[in-house]
Amino acid sequence: MHKVSPPLSIKLSIPSEFGYERVVREAVASFARRVGVASERVEDLKTAVSEACLNAIEHGNAQMPGTRVDVNCVWENDVLMVRVLDHGLRRYAGHVAPCIACKVHGEAPPRGMGLYLIAQLVDTCGFESSPDGGNVLYMSMHTRAMA
Amino acid sequence: MRGVTETLRSRLWQAHTAEWWRTMANVSHDADPVERVVELHLPSRLGYEKVAMDAAASVARRMGFSADRVDALRTALAEAVTNAIEHGNAHNADTRVLVILTVRPSELVVSVADQGFKPIDKAQIAPAPSIEDSFSRADKGGWGIWLIRELMDEVEFTTAPTGGNQVRMVIHLEKQS
C-alpha cells in the first residue's frame, strides 16, 4: 500500500554572495536526511544545490550586491523538490554537454559544468518560468529507491 | 456542520498564515552594508529544528567561531526552535517557525519567531527553574530558557512584528589573541 505523506517544506533566503551557498547546502542536506533521502544521495543533492546556488549568484544575479537567492524545498509523495530562484538579471537556461576531454587538456575553461553536473546528480531538473522574471531552477529526488 | 466548521477553521489558518508571511516579507534585508541576513522558514514539526541548527552552524563556522561555540549555538537554537514548535505554535501543522540569522562583523544574531498561538509563560523566562519543580513535572522539562541564557551572550524575549513570540540570541565573536 502506498502511503501518501503530507507535504513538508522549508524556505531559505541568502545574500547573493559566494560562500552562502554552503548554508543552503547544509540546510537542504539536513531537510533531505529528515525526510528520508539515502545518505549517498544527500551528498549528490548537496553538490547539485551548491552548483545551482553558485549559478544563481554568478549568472542569475550577476554578482550584484544586495540581491538574494531564495531556495524552496518541498517534500511530497516521496519526492523532494528543490527550487533555486534568483532575480534573473541574466537569463541562463538549458545545458550543453561539455567537452570533458577539452577541459582536461586545458583547451576549454574548467568551469561551466554546473548544469551538466546537476543533471547527472538529481532525478529530474530543469527551468521553470517565474512570474517576476527570475530564473527558477528545479531539481527533484525520490526519497525511496525506485523498485 | 462539522464540514463547515473545518472549512472555516482552515480558511482562518490560511488567512493568518498569509498575513504572517506578508509581515515577514517586509523585514528589510541587508539594510546595513556590513550586515548579512539569512532567513529560514521551518515547518512546526519536531525534528526539523535540525535544519536550523545545521544552517546556523554553517554560518557560525564561516564567521570563525570555535567548535565549542558552534556547539553551544546549536544547542541554544535547538531549544529555541523546539519551544516555538511545542509552545508558541502548539504543534499546529499549518504554522511555521521563522529563524533569522544576522551576520555582523563581531557577532551573530539569531532570532526565532513563532506565530504566538500560546504566549510564552513569563515565569519560564525567570533566571532558573528549581530542580524540585522540574522533578515534579511529567516531562521533567522547563530548562530550555535557562540553558539558552547559559549558552548565549545576550538573550531577549520579545514579541515578533506579527504578534508571535520571539527570542533574540546574540553570540559574540571573540578576537583571536
Side-chain angles (χ1 to χ4, degrees):
Chain A
M1 194 180 128
H2 184 71
K3 183 177 109 295
V4 177
S5 325
L8 271 169
S9 66
I10 61 163
K11 270 180 70 154
L12 195 63
S13 168
I14 56 159
S16 192
E17 273 175 41
F18 292 125
Y20 281 94
E21 77 282 357
R22 293 184 208 171
V23 181
V24 177
R25 188 171 62 187
E26 293 307 317
V28 172
S30 189
F31 184 71
R33 278 192 293 267
R34 272 272 115 205
V35 302
V37 177
S39 55
E40 70 272 18
R41 298 237 64 202
V42 171
E43 293 308 309
D44 290 347
L45 187 61
K46 281 165 81 168
T47 306
V49 165
S50 293
E51 286 298 325
C53 289
L54 289 170
N55 279 344
I57 295 168
E58 192 175 358
H59 305 304
N61 288 343
Q63 287 181 265
M64 177 85 85
T67 55
R68 314 273 305 168
V69 176
D70 293 333
V71 180
N72 298 335
C73 301
V74 182
W75 180 62
E76 193 169 16
N77 302 330
D78 294 321
V79 175
L80 174 61
M81 176 68 88
V82 182
R83 287 184 175 85
V84 177
L85 295 81
D86 60 43
H87 293 259
L89 299 179
R90 216 188 290 155
R91 310 287 299 178
Y92 71 101
H95 66 271
V96 181
C99 168
I100 292 168
C102 303
K103 289 181 190 292
V104 171
H105 295 124
E107 292 151 11
R111 298 270 336 265
M113 300 271 288
L115 293 171
Y116 173 77
L117 194 60
I118 291 169
Q120 306 303 307
L121 294 170
V122 298
D123 293 334
T124 64
C125 69
F127 287 89
E128 281 176 356
S129 60
S130 147
D132 51 14
N135 298 299
V136 182
L137 173 61
Y138 71 85
M139 295 167 278
S140 80
M141 209 171 238
H142 286 270
T143 53
R144 58 171 74 162
M146 305 295 280
Chain B
M1 189 59 207
R2 191 183 141 77
V4 174
T5 315
E6 286 298 320
T7 311
L8 200 62
R9 182 180 296 158
S10 146
R11 290 256 168 83
L12 277 170
W13 281 122
Q14 280 167 12
H16 187 102
T17 309
E19 181 56 38
W20 189 70
W21 283 108
R22 267 198 296 280
T23 314
M24 281 308 174
N26 291 331
V27 172
S28 71
H29 289 298
D30 309 329
D32 186 334
V34 292
E35 219 174 70
R36 294 290 177 270
V37 178
V38 172
E39 223 186 86
L40 178 62
H41 298 258
L42 299 169
S44 280
R45 188 188 281 206
L46 288 178
Y48 288 85
E49 67 278 5
K50 276 277 286 167
V51 178
M53 291 160 70
D54 290 342
S58 172
V59 171
R61 273 196 303 270
R62 198 178 126 73
M63 289 176 71
F65 282 102
S66 67
D68 282 4
R69 299 290 278 160
V70 173
D71 280 346
L73 175 66
R74 288 178 65 93
T75 306
L77 189 53
E79 289 298 329
V81 176
T82 310
N83 279 347
I85 294 169
E86 288 186 317
H87 306 301
N89 287 345
H91 290 286
N92 190 304
D94 294 330
T95 62
R96 311 282 285 172
V97 177
L98 174 62
V99 179
I100 298 176
L101 306 161
T102 306
V103 179
R104 293 184 179 153
S106 60
E107 62 187 18
L108 174 60
V109 183
V110 182
S111 88
V112 177
D114 59 46
Q115 290 178 249
F117 289 98
K118 207 167 101 187
I120 197 156
D121 179 6
K122 293 282 179 252
Q124 290 285 316
I125 307 174
S130 83
I131 198 131
E132 290 80 11
D133 291 350
S134 280
F135 278 127
S136 65
R137 284 173 55 144
D139 61 357
K140 305 284 176 281
W143 289 84
I145 290 168
W146 174 82
L147 192 61
I148 292 170
R149 286 195 192 281
E150 287 293 305
L151 295 169
M152 298 287 99
D153 295 318
E154 292 172 41
V155 182
E156 192 186 8
F157 292 89
T158 54
T159 303
T162 50
N165 305 299
Q166 181 170 276
V167 54
R168 181 180 176 277
M169 306 174 283
V170 186
I171 177 168
H172 300 151
L173 198 55
E174 282 122 43
K175 293 278 166 287
Q176 303 293 319
S177 46

